[in-house]
Amino acid sequence: MGEALGLFPYNNNGLTKVHYESNLLLIDQNHQEEKDTWFEEEIDVNLKWSFALNRVLHKGTSEYQDIALLDTKHFGKVLVIDGKMQSAEADEFIYHECLIHPALLCHPNPKMVFIMGGGEGSAAREALRHKSIEKVVMCDIDQEVVDFCKKHLTANHETFRNKKLDLVINDAKVGLEERDEKFDIIVGDLADPVEGGPCYQLYTKSFYQNILKPKLTQNGIFITQAGPAGVFTHTEVFSSIYNTIKHVFKYVRAYTAHVPSFADTWGWVIASDQPLCIDAGKMDKKIADRIDGELLYLNGPTFVSSTILNKTIAKTLKNETHVYTEDNARFIHGQGVAYRI
């Protein structure tokens, strides 16, 4: 979601006095009527999304991506990577419950989980709530993201101290290839594919087919975030990711939910070579029996309803022909670090 990270003053007439230079949004130093500092995210060329900040906790560029951790007035602490909102304290439970629990609840007895990405720790936190889990491997490429999330995201402090968590700093592709064991669940908690970013190759058919799928157990399930899935945004990458996964797995379902801090409906794709049991009553029973604590967003009926897509999106998914490859990739609006260098 978005392009350049902009921190700018807001004046009395509701307008901002800024100018552009080298793809960054800069403050007009002559402007004295500052009220609040705002974060601005460019969702598309003619569409922006902004919200007021209390302060900037961290802003910099790692080896792989632009990173910002912001304390916002409306959404609490938010993680921004390559100018796009990744997670907000106020509503991250929606995204992470939808990402983690459907796959674990569809599996008969999940014990081993591999998370690609997930540096903030929230995906691992949700997986570790399942009583059957013996090990969660979280493989994130960016040490800097992990370190400042450990420091600033207090909700996940216990997760990073959990003895069942195996934290690996590595490219998820390499990290998965190097593992000797197989996994019941593999999770794609990756940044959205942007041109020049570090993640787009992990959305390709060759990766799914040659590297990821062989690392699943016989009843294994793959689940991934799949980008914006609104009426106006689902053709960016969501439909392509869905169609690509359909070329690799026998049983594939897409589902969506609205995430307020993303300013859009979001999409996920769940896949396996075994039938996926999507039944509201059975799912509610499994939630009660298997998960420590109460979920804030997801229950059986909510998940079942999330798999029922509106007519526009369902038609697109049915007719989609694009398969995601290294040479024929789709990207959402924005640019990664490598592209700008």
Side-chain angles (χ1 to χ4, degrees), residues 81-338:
I81 293 179
D82 281 339
K84 296 183 295 299
M85 173 81 77
Q86 300 297 307
S87 180
E89 192 174 35
D91 64 5
E92 58 87 6
F93 65 91
I94 302 173
Y95 171 89
H96 288 105
E97 288 186 15
C98 288
L99 174 70
I100 294 297
H101 297 300
L104 273 75
L105 293 170
C106 285
H107 194 281
N109 187 29
K111 296 181 179 181
M112 299 282 289
V113 176
F114 188 97
I115 299 172
M116 302 185 294
E120 69 182 273
S122 299
R125 179 197 69 214
E126 293 301 316
L128 289 165
R129 295 176 65 182
H130 285 252
K131 300 171 185 177
S132 63
I133 293 299
E134 297 177 356
K135 185 177 184 179
V136 173
V137 179
M138 188 181 86
C139 185
D140 196 284
I141 196 171
D142 204 323
Q143 180 76 62
E144 188 172 347
V145 169
V146 173
D147 286 345
F148 79 67
C149 287
K150 276 184 178 182
K151 179 179 180 181
H152 293 290
L153 300 183
T154 55
N156 295 334
H157 281 175
E158 290 298 320
T159 299
F160 284 108
R161 291 194 287 263
N162 195 306
K163 293 181 180 179
K164 295 181 180 180
L165 179 66
D166 179 9
L167 175 58
V168 178
I169 303 299
N170 203 348
D171 181 296
K173 177 181 178 181
V174 177
L176 195 55
E177 279 184 305
E178 291 180 346
R179 308 298 298 199
D180 293 328
E181 69 267 57
K182 292 192 175 186
F183 296 89
D184 301 307
I185 309 291
I186 296 179
V187 179
D189 188 17
L190 301 163
D192 301 316
V194 294
E195 193 166 4
C199 293
Y200 80 92
Q201 294 183 5
L202 302 182
Y203 291 96
T204 61
K205 180 184 177 183
S206 62
F207 172 70
Y208 293 150
Q209 186 167 275
N210 301 327
I211 297 173
L212 187 149
K213 188 174 180 180
K215 293 296 181 179
L216 285 170
T217 58
Q218 183 178 0
N219 293 320
I221 298 174
F222 171 53
I223 192 164
T224 185
Q225 80 90 9
V231 170
F232 300 121
T233 56
H234 68 281
T235 58
E236 292 178 356
V237 295
F238 177 59
S239 60
S240 176
I241 292 170
Y242 169 78
N243 187 58
T244 302
I245 294 173
K246 278 185 64 179
H247 280 73
V248 178
F249 290 92
K250 187 174 181 181
Y251 299 95
V252 180
R253 293 293 293 269
Y255 58 100
T256 65
H258 179 69
V259 181
S261 62
F262 290 176
D264 206 346
T265 299
W266 216 251
W268 297 264
V269 179
I270 183 172
S272 179
D273 277 347
Q274 303 298 323
L276 297 165
C277 180
I278 299 177
D279 177 275
K282 291 180 180 178
M283 189 164 279
D284 275 341
K285 186 177 187 309
K286 289 178 181 179
I287 290 172
D289 293 343
R290 294 187 184 185
I291 297 176
D292 288 325
E294 185 175 352
L295 300 184
L296 298 176
Y297 177 80
L298 200 69
N299 59 19
T302 300
F303 179 65
V304 171
S305 67
S306 74
T307 67
I308 303 171
L309 307 177
N310 67 59
K311 182 178 180 179
T312 297
I313 297 176
K315 183 177 180 180
T316 299
L317 264 57
K318 180 180 179 181
N319 295 329
E320 181 62 79
T321 59
H322 182 265
V323 174
Y324 212 101
T325 67
E326 290 85 350
D327 298 325
N328 188 23
R330 286 183 182 175
F331 304 103
I332 67 168
H333 184 73
Q335 298 171 352
V337 172

